[in-house]
């Protein structure tokens, strides 16, 4: 690759995404794009330093990976620890409190992405001057829309506060249950605004839908590529963001696997390491590492789910399926529409839960027969999130592996940036900022959260290359620290 | 009032009556005047080691928890100078150990954290962080010790020795190397029990002595110091708003929920 590449354009830092990353575009002497890569340039190391900590600390520690979707990590870890403490079915109060928290989380995170991060691209155009493409200009030119975005996010954050104790980094999900129920006063405070939230969600959804329909040729030609799709679905095939079994389909909609217990993930999913990114590349084992990559997140979920169990969101899901002619939608830009269908689903679910008296119950936690391993999966805002732990007889964690949504989407995002770079940058004599923004738009559609997607320093390859004065490589050394534990 | 059994103290300009034989702290507590403290705990012999209860008695700095009341006592406690000493002492405790409040199960009920809030410590002091490496002793089935959070208050030593009659803990080492050890290779090999007074939440002021499987049972907002500043109970002579203890957990019949296991081929059974 090095020989073919004459010039490298670097887009760093990526803006309006969570965390730090950069894109490099590799051009040959004819200015044609050879390849583009999304690099994740930060690492966190949680999988290593969680080792030795007590099992009940894990949900509180790992949520610190992120301030945007900490609830997803909090709940995934708590679910894994439910398994460790021998609880496979929570009390109704505990399960519903956790679900309410989760729907609040997905709502606020998806709203943040749509209104704050992506709406400037959609409303002002990818080619608009960089100075114009930000939330402040949205506030200036679309004040009502901006206000709704801010208030919807606030509402989601309030749900998180009432269910977890704090708007960010609460502590209520504990192994085997939760530590609080919902008070009647808290319920009433949330019920007051829920109908408004459902209305605004549907309006925002229609905005995303209309954008997709009105820009059909752009959507069709912009990072539209075949891929597999994976998510959890309920046993009846419905969208379920908190719990379910794994379903994967190929780009034509054929089932690759269905209703697989996520605790068997290591028999269907494998991870590959590449030297230029801190993020791993997972793939479906049966399809191999070349063809087995897949997408997760809102788009994948709309493709895999047979239906949605709330009426308004289900109607819009049906519209979405009609738009994609009942085949999987493979357009990167359709993520926005899909994401807003989920927001509507969440607000409908929140209302359903708020009217459920189980939320005020007092049976909060259970304990059962202790196990040594905990595996949990849920659908986080950005896609399937997997937590896997081993815990010794002293209650200390001995092993931790987190496969986060953005990691699942790694290959897809790299495909998207290469696709867009080839289309918009290849052969251009002058590369302009709006052209580069197209590349960012492609990454942004996946709403990647780069902070939690990276892995331990000890598992990263360190490569040292020595060049002579003529720029010829004369020596190189590569060192891998602790190798990854191999799947059984 | 001053007689055979009583005498009058003047603390920060306020006159209070003390019984002879009381310590300054006991007299002040009874009168509703709170003096900050970390190593002192109700029911344990005072040892005057943390020095957070330092006050000026007739111009001389003393530990209020060990100093007996004297006649004509003029005490300075809530002064800028004394509070600066306290702030420095508490700041140094944060820098000496590994105190990661956001992930600690004692957060919200931790006396060190609450004292920092009371004293207005809102950011790191200029001291270096020592970042010690202290392994967790989780060998005991019901108790874990995370010495990263230990502030050497010695309350566990006194509780085990004087209340439980067991001598599970003792100081070992000197100076900066001083730490709390157990009287065996690990806690599991001692006669420590979860029912010991030394293992109760009242004794360890931080999150060093961990009662296993009870962490994070109190929701945010219902932890001891979530809604009140440390010392409010003494200043108002009213009980705490929230209880230190919150443990209800139902044991389920394991037969209802068979364990998730895999056979030799990795298949779920």
């Amino acid at each position: 690759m090095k020989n073919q590449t004459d010039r490298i354009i670097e887009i760093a830092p990526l803006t309006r995404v969570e965390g730090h990353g950069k894109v490099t575009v590799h051009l040959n002497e004819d200015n044609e794009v050879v390849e583009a890569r999304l690099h994740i340039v930060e690492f966190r190391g949680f999988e290593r330093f969680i080792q030795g900590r007590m099992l009940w600390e894990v949900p509180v520690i790992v949520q610190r990976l992120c301030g945007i979707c900490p609830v997803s990590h909090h709940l995934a870890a708590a679910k894994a620890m439910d398994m460790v403490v021998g609880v496979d079915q929570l009390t109704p109060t505990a399960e519903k409190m956790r679900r309410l928290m989760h729907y609040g989380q997905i709502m606020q995170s998806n709203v943040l992405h749509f209104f704050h991060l992506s709406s400037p691209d959609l409303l002002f155009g990818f080619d608009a001057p960089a100075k114009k493409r930000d939330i402040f200009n949205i506030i200036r030119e679309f004040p009502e829309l901006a206000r709704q975005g801010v208030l919807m996010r606030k509402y989601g954050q309030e749900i998180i506060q009432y269910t977890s104790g704090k708007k960010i980094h609460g502590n209520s999900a504990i192994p085997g249950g939760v530590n609080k129920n919902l008070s009647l006063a808290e319920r009433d405070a949330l019920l007051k605004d829920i109908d408004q939230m459902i209305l605004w969600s549907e309006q925002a959804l229609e905005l995303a839908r209309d954008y997709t329909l009105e820009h059909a040729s752009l959507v069709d030609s912009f990072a539209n590529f075949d891929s597999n799709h994976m998510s959890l679905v309920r046993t009846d095939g419905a969208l379920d963001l908190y719990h379910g079994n794994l379903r994967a389909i190929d780009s034509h909609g054929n089932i690759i696997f269905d209703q697989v217990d996520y605790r068997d993930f290591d028999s269907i999913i494998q991870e590959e390491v590449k030297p230029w990114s801190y993020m791993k590349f997972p793939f479906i084992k049966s399809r191999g590492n070349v063809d087995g990559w897949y997408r997760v997140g809102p788009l994948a979920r709309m493709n895999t789910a047979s239906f949605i169990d709330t009426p308004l969101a289900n109607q819009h899901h049906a519209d979405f399926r009609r738009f994609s002619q009942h085949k999987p939608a493979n357009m990167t830009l359709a993520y926005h529409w899909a994401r807003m269908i989920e927001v509507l689903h969440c607000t409908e679910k929140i209302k359903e839960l708020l009217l459920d008296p189980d939320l005020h119950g007092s049976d909060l936690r259970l304990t059962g027969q202790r196990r040594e391993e905990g595996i949990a999966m849920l659908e986080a805002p950005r896609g399937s999130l997997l937590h896997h732990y081993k815990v010794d007889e002293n209650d200390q964690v001995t092993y931790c592996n987190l496969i986060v949504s953005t990691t699942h989407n790694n290959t897809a995002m790299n495909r998207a940036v290469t696709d867009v770079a080839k289309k918009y940058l290849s052969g251009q004599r002058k590369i302009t900022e709006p052209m580069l923004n197209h590349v960012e738009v492609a990454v942004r559609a996946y709403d990647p959260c780069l902070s939690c997607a990276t892995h331990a320093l000890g598992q990263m390859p360190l490569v040292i290359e020595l060049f002579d004065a003529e720029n010829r490589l004369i020596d190189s050394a590569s060192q891998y620290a602790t190798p990854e534990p191999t799947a059984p | 009032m001053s007689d055979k059994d009583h005498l009058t103290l003047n603390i920060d300009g306020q006159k209070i009556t003390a019984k002879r034989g009381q310590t300054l702290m006991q007299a002040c507590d009874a009168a509703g005047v709170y003096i900050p403290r970390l190593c002192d705990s109700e029911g344990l012999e005072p040892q005057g080691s943390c020095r957070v209860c330092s006050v000026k008695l007739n111009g001389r700095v003393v530990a209020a928890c060990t100093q007996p009341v004297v006649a004509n006592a003029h005490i300075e406690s809530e002064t800028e100078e004394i509070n600066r000493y306290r702030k420095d002492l508490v700041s140094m405790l944060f820098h000496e150990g590994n105190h990661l409040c956001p992930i600690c199960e004692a957060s919200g009920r931790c006396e060190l954290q609450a004292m920092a809030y009371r004293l207005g410590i809102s950011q790191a002091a200029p001291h270096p962080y020592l970042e010690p490496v202290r392994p967790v002793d989780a060998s005991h089935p019901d108790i874990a010790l995370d010495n990263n959070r230990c502030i050497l208050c010695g309350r566990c030593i006194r509780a085990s020795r004087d209340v439980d009659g067991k001598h599970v803990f003792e100081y070992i080492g000197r100076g900066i190397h001083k730490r709390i050890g157990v009287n065996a290779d690990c806690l599991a090999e001692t006669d420590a029990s979860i029912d010991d007074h030394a293992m109760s939440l009242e004794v360890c002021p931080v999150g060093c002595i961990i009662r296993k499987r009870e962490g994070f049972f109190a929701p945010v907002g219902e932890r001891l110091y979530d809604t009140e500043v440390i010392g409010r109970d003494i200043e108002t002579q009213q009980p705490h708003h929230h209880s230190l203890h919150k443990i209800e957990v139902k044991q389920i019949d394991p037969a209802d929920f068979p364990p998730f296991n895999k056979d030799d081929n990795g298949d779920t059974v």
Side-chain angles (χ1 to χ4, degrees):
Chain A
M1 190 59 61
K2 202 163 259 163
N3 303 339
Q4 295 174 22
T5 304
D6 209 32
R7 200 150 65 96
I8 296 175
I9 298 171
E10 193 176 283
I11 307 175
L14 281 173
T15 55
R16 286 183 281 136
V17 296
E18 318 293 355
H20 299 282
K22 66 172 184 180
V23 169
T24 55
V25 182
H26 303 247
L27 304 166
N28 66 14
E29 53 197 13
D30 299 326
N31 272 344
E32 280 163 354
V33 173
V34 179
E35 196 190 13
R37 288 171 176 173
L38 169 66
H39 301 253
I40 309 303
V41 293
E42 58 178 277
F43 60 81
R44 303 301 293 271
F46 271 70
E47 290 167 327
R48 182 63 188 87
F49 63 68
I50 197 76
Q51 290 174 22
R53 297 312 312 177
M54 312 306 295
L55 72 92
W56 51 90
E57 294 179 330
V58 174
V60 174
I61 296 178
V62 294
Q63 66 172 339
R64 295 272 166 181
L65 272 162
C66 186
I68 303 295
C69 68
V71 166
S72 308
H73 287 289
H74 185 54
L75 291 178
K79 263 181 95 172
M81 292 309 162
D82 292 343
M83 183 174 158
V84 170
V85 301
V87 176
D88 292 336
Q89 181 60 57
L90 300 173
T91 66
T93 304
E95 161 124 10
K96 287 171 185 176
M97 281 297 285
R98 285 199 195 172
R99 277 183 178 271
L100 182 58
M101 194 195 314
H102 192 50
Y103 294 128
Q105 156 66 22
I106 294 191
M107 178 190 170
Q108 71 85 11
S109 177
N110 282 359
V111 163
L112 168 77
H113 178 263
F114 182 72
F115 287 92
H116 298 59
L117 306 184
S118 281
S119 74
D121 292 326
L122 306 183
L123 294 172
F124 297 129
F126 307 170
D127 293 329
K131 268 194 201 161
K132 193 166 173 79
R133 289 189 315 258
D134 62 32
I135 182 68
F136 300 106
N137 282 302
I138 294 287
I139 294 170
R140 218 165 280 139
E141 298 194 20
F142 302 92
E144 179 53 25
L145 188 74
R147 193 177 80 89
Q148 290 176 9
V150 169
L151 291 177
M152 284 170 77
R153 177 144 197 267
K154 175 169 178 270
Y155 186 83
Q157 295 281 63
E158 277 166 0
I159 289 188
I160 296 171
Q161 178 174 16
Y162 290 147
T163 49
S164 81
K166 284 161 71 185
K167 283 184 178 163
I168 304 174
H169 300 141
N171 73 359
S172 76
I174 54 179
V178 293
N179 67 17
K180 82 182 286 285
N181 59 9
L182 196 75
S183 72
L184 293 173
E186 288 167 336
R187 179 200 62 184
D188 293 343
L190 293 172
L191 265 180
K192 188 165 58 69
D193 292 327
I194 186 61
D195 289 326
Q196 180 72 75
M197 293 302 142
I198 293 174
L199 184 72
W200 285 350
S201 300
E202 196 168 16
Q203 287 170 357
L205 186 166
E206 284 161 0
L207 183 70
R209 179 197 62 197
D210 294 347
Y211 177 87
T212 316
L213 298 177
E214 284 162 17
H215 297 76
S217 64
L218 171 69
V219 172
D220 251 355
S221 61
F222 188 90
N224 179 3
F225 46 83
D226 284 359
S227 76
N228 306 308
H229 299 268
M230 187 185 81
S231 81
L232 293 177
V233 290
R234 218 163 64 180
T235 45
D236 58 1
L239 175 75
D240 193 332
L241 299 168
Y242 178 73
H243 191 66
N245 294 316
L246 282 167
R247 172 184 284 179
I249 56 173
D250 66 18
S251 58
H252 304 291
N254 303 315
I255 297 276
I256 301 174
F257 52 75
D258 195 11
Q259 298 299 336
V260 173
D261 189 330
Y262 59 69
R263 295 177 293 191
D264 285 327
F265 82 97
D266 58 359
S267 64
I268 48 171
I269 301 291
Q270 197 173 326
E271 288 183 286
E272 190 185 5
V273 176
K274 295 189 183 180
W276 46 269
S277 179
Y278 283 127
M279 194 155 75
K280 294 186 204 171
F281 292 79
F283 59 91
I284 295 168
K285 271 187 186 175
S286 64
R287 296 284 164 125
N289 63 346
V290 177
D291 300 320
W293 59 277
Y294 51 91
R295 284 190 266 199
V296 298
L299 183 72
R301 291 191 284 248
M302 289 305 117
N303 288 333
T304 52
S306 312
F307 67 101
I308 297 180
D309 69 342
T310 54
L312 290 175
N314 192 42
Q315 272 174 29
H316 285 281
H317 178 246
D319 285 352
F320 184 87
R321 298 289 289 164
R322 261 195 301 281
F323 160 76
S324 66
Q325 294 166 347
H326 299 280
K327 294 209 170 91
N330 284 308
M331 303 79 108
T332 292
L333 287 177
Y335 260 99
H336 298 294
W337 183 0
R339 194 169 281 120
M340 298 319 285
I341 296 176
E342 290 188 347
V343 172
L344 180 61
H345 168 64
C346 287
T347 52
E348 288 184 284
K349 273 286 182 195
I350 288 165
K351 183 171 181 182
E352 187 184 308
L353 282 167
L354 288 175
L355 297 173
D356 189 331
D358 278 345
L359 283 178
H360 319 298
S362 56
D363 279 346
L364 300 182
R365 13 169 201 262
L366 299 171
T367 180
Q369 190 181 321
R370 185 76 152 64
R371 298 164 185 155
E372 292 175 354
E373 193 170 16
I375 302 171
M377 204 164 199
L378 50 74
E379 288 295 325
R382 293 157 184 82
S384 311
L385 169 64
L386 184 125
H387 280 210
H388 182 194
Y389 304 94
K390 289 178 187 164
V391 181
D392 68 13
E393 69 279 7
N394 291 336
D395 295 332
Q396 286 175 290
V397 174
T398 57
Y399 169 82
C400 166
N401 186 26
L402 313 175
I403 308 182
V404 307
S405 323
T406 299
T407 307
H408 292 292
N409 274 335
N410 201 357
T411 305
M413 287 189 295
N414 276 287
R415 278 295 297 270
V417 292
T418 302
D419 233 55
V420 172
K422 280 187 174 165
K423 187 170 161 67
Y424 291 93
L425 305 182
S426 257
Q428 300 284 352
R429 286 177 57 198
K430 193 162 181 281
I431 306 285
T432 61
E433 193 279 335
M435 285 180 193
L436 295 179
N437 186 47
H438 282 71
V439 179
E440 287 193 79
V441 168
V443 179
R444 224 171 267 140
Y446 291 84
D447 189 13
C449 187
L450 307 181
S451 59
C452 70
T454 60
H455 282 65
L457 178 62
Q459 294 166 0
M460 289 300 130
L462 176 71
V463 183
I464 298 166
E465 292 178 326
L466 189 62
F467 294 88
D468 66 11
E470 310 294 324
N471 210 22
R472 283 181 304 229
L473 185 66
I474 52 172
D475 196 12
S476 79
S478 138
Q479 184 195 341
Y480 285 78
T482 333
E484 266 283 85
T486 46
Chain B
M1 185 176 74
S2 213
D3 58 32
K4 186 159 70 63
D5 299 324
H6 295 89
L7 40 83
T8 304
L9 312 178
N10 182 321
I11 175 159
D12 293 334
Q14 182 186 348
K15 282 197 164 57
I16 63 169
T17 305
K19 285 186 204 158
R20 284 182 199 277
Q22 276 184 319
T23 63
L24 286 183
M25 188 181 280
Q26 285 167 338
C28 288
D29 280 0
V33 177
Y34 176 72
I35 298 175
R37 81 283 311 256
L38 286 174
C39 74
D40 193 64
S41 177
E42 203 178 325
L44 301 179
E45 279 296 307
Q47 72 174 21
S49 63
C50 76
R51 315 308 284 184
V52 173
C53 71
S54 291
V55 292
K56 263 191 181 174
L57 170 64
N58 296 335
R60 195 167 64 90
V61 176
V62 298
C65 69
T66 51
Q67 172 65 47
V69 292
V70 293
N72 303 318
H74 180 82
I75 304 158
E76 296 164 61
S77 174
E78 290 293 330
T79 65
E80 200 186 321
E81 180 193 2
I82 292 291
N83 272 330
R84 198 175 64 241
Y85 295 153
R86 290 173 181 153
K87 229 168 157 167
D88 283 346
L89 288 165
V90 172
S91 296
M92 285 191 281
L93 289 174
F94 277 101
H95 287 254
E96 190 271 336
N98 295 313
H99 297 281
L100 306 171
C101 300
I103 59 160
C104 179
E105 63 185 83
S107 220
R109 65 164 158 83
C110 170
E111 292 178 32
L112 179 67
Q113 184 191 47
M115 192 59 71
Y117 281 128
R118 182 178 174 106
L119 296 173
I121 299 173
S122 55
Q123 59 188 45
H127 318 297
Y129 280 101
L130 300 188
E131 296 176 354
V133 178
R134 300 175 187 154
V136 174
D137 177 356
S139 58
H140 193 283
D142 301 318
I143 308 156
L145 299 177
D146 186 348
N147 279 302
N148 292 290
R149 302 163 179 170
C150 180
I151 56 168
L152 300 174
C153 67
R155 280 155 59 163
C156 56
I157 298 175
R158 285 170 280 156
S160 183
R161 182 188 65 210
D162 304 337
V163 182
D164 303 324
K166 285 189 174 177
H167 301 272
V168 169
F169 300 105
E170 193 47 88
Y171 285 120
I172 51 178
R174 295 175 65 79
I176 195 71
H177 304 294
K178 188 169 179 171
R179 60 194 174 91
I180 299 225
V182 296
N183 67 349
D185 286 341
C186 62
L187 192 65
E189 292 175 14
T190 68
D191 51 356
S193 151
I194 189 70
D195 300 323
D196 289 351
H197 181 56
M199 309 307 166
S200 68
L201 294 181
E202 283 83 358
V203 169
C204 183
V206 288
C208 175
I209 296 178
I210 295 169
R211 296 172 63 88
K212 282 190 174 180
R213 298 170 292 277
E214 291 179 17
F216 305 104
F217 274 21
V220 174
E222 292 179 34
R223 302 172 303 186
L224 201 60
Y225 301 120
D226 277 343
T227 53
E228 65 180 67
V229 68
I230 189 168
R232 186 208 61 94
D233 54 326
I234 289 170
E235 286 166 336
T236 60
Q237 303 282 300
Q238 296 289 323
H240 289 294
H241 295 148
H242 296 294
S243 156
L244 199 51
H245 304 271
K246 274 196 196 294
I247 28 172
E248 326 107 30
V249 56
K250 272 194 182 164
Q251 183 74 37
I252 55 173
D253 185 352
D256 295 343
F257 302 103
F260 172 77
N261 277 322
K262 291 184 177 181
D263 64 17
D264 295 342
N265 300 325
D267 295 329
T268 310
V269 290

